[in-house]
Amino acid sequence: NVLMKIMYIARFARADLLRAVTEMWDELCDPTMITKWDELCDRKLFRIIKYMNGTAAWRQIGFVGDPLEELEIGLFSDADFAKATQKGTSGVFLAIYGPHSFFPLSAQSKKQTAVSHSTVEAEIVAADHAIRISGLPALPLWERFLARPLSLEVYQDNQATGRIMHTGRAPTLSHGGRVHLAPIQ
């Protein structure tokens, strides 16, 4: 019950909590763990509560100071490796921005479905997830709202990943299509 309330807060007001809550939820949603709350789960939950208590004054702030003609959509993606499962976590952040504007639209943290063998591979999987799940679905809405065609700006913090996304060439990652297939929804 407490974890569900924290998940609600994380989704709607505190995107910084998404990673911690997602990690704990993934462990507890394993069919063998859902009924086996133990002392380790208590310690993890207590740590999240302490973090929330210490950062209660933090707020997600958005500001718009530009005319609609100057606003663009920005998609930020990142990935990291998990320690226990070896499966990375994809982080996604979608915002509308301009010269004097920055307004968060959505954020997500999700465990990747397969093991990545390099940072670049995990970053590409995260970028793919971000574009498919957050970026492309948001474009028609914002194009209609802003009454003009938009391009989706994708931001990536890994130079090698950015180069691969720009050129479309990655010979060492040819297995990606077989390993990191997206589930059909």
Side-chain angles (χ1 to χ4, degrees), residues 36-168:
K36 298 178 182 176
W37 190 275
D38 59 9
E39 189 178 323
L40 179 61
C41 295
D42 280 336
R43 287 197 310 261
K44 287 181 178 184
L45 182 60
F46 182 66
R47 187 172 180 185
I48 292 173
I49 297 293
K50 276 179 42 178
Y51 173 75
M52 289 174 62
N53 189 39
T55 60
W58 289 13
R59 300 288 182 263
Q60 180 171 291
I61 297 173
F63 54 93
V64 178
D66 296 310
L68 295 179
E69 300 80 39
E70 295 184 25
L71 297 178
E72 298 294 332
I73 299 260
L75 182 65
F76 302 83
S77 72
D78 198 9
D80 67 348
F81 285 114
K83 294 173 186 148
T85 63
Q86 299 298 314
K87 292 181 182 176
T89 302
S90 298
V92 179
F93 183 76
L94 183 67
I96 194 157
Y97 70 95
H100 301 98
S101 304
F102 192 87
F103 196 88
L105 299 174
S106 67
Q108 183 182 25
S109 176
K110 184 173 180 2
K111 181 104 32 206
Q112 293 180 357
T113 57
V115 175
S116 293
H117 300 287
S118 69
T119 302
V120 172
E121 185 177 347
E123 295 278 356
I124 287 176
V125 171
D128 172 71
H129 175 77
I131 292 167
R132 277 186 310 105
I133 303 301
S134 291
L136 292 179
L139 272 179
L141 170 74
W142 287 98
E143 285 178 342
R144 186 173 179 107
F145 181 71
L146 297 174
R148 64 185 165 89
L150 291 172
S151 61
L152 183 64
E153 296 290 329
V154 179
Y155 295 95
Q156 181 48 248
D157 66 348
N158 185 294
Q159 288 181 351
T161 303
R163 194 174 323 110
I164 290 169
M165 290 171 65
H166 184 71
T167 64

Side-chain angles (χ1 to χ4, degrees), residues 24-36:
M24 189 168 185
W25 183 256
D26 283 346
E27 290 175 15
L28 294 176
C29 284
D30 177 14
T32 62
M33 290 297 294
I34 197 75
T35 59
K36 298 178 182 176

Side-chain angles (χ1 to χ4, degrees), residues 5-19:
K5 290 178 182 178
I6 295 171
M7 286 180 71
Y8 181 82
I9 293 167
R11 262 192 89 183
F12 291 103
R14 293 285 305 269
D16 59 309
L17 297 172
L18 284 173
R19 173 73 163 77

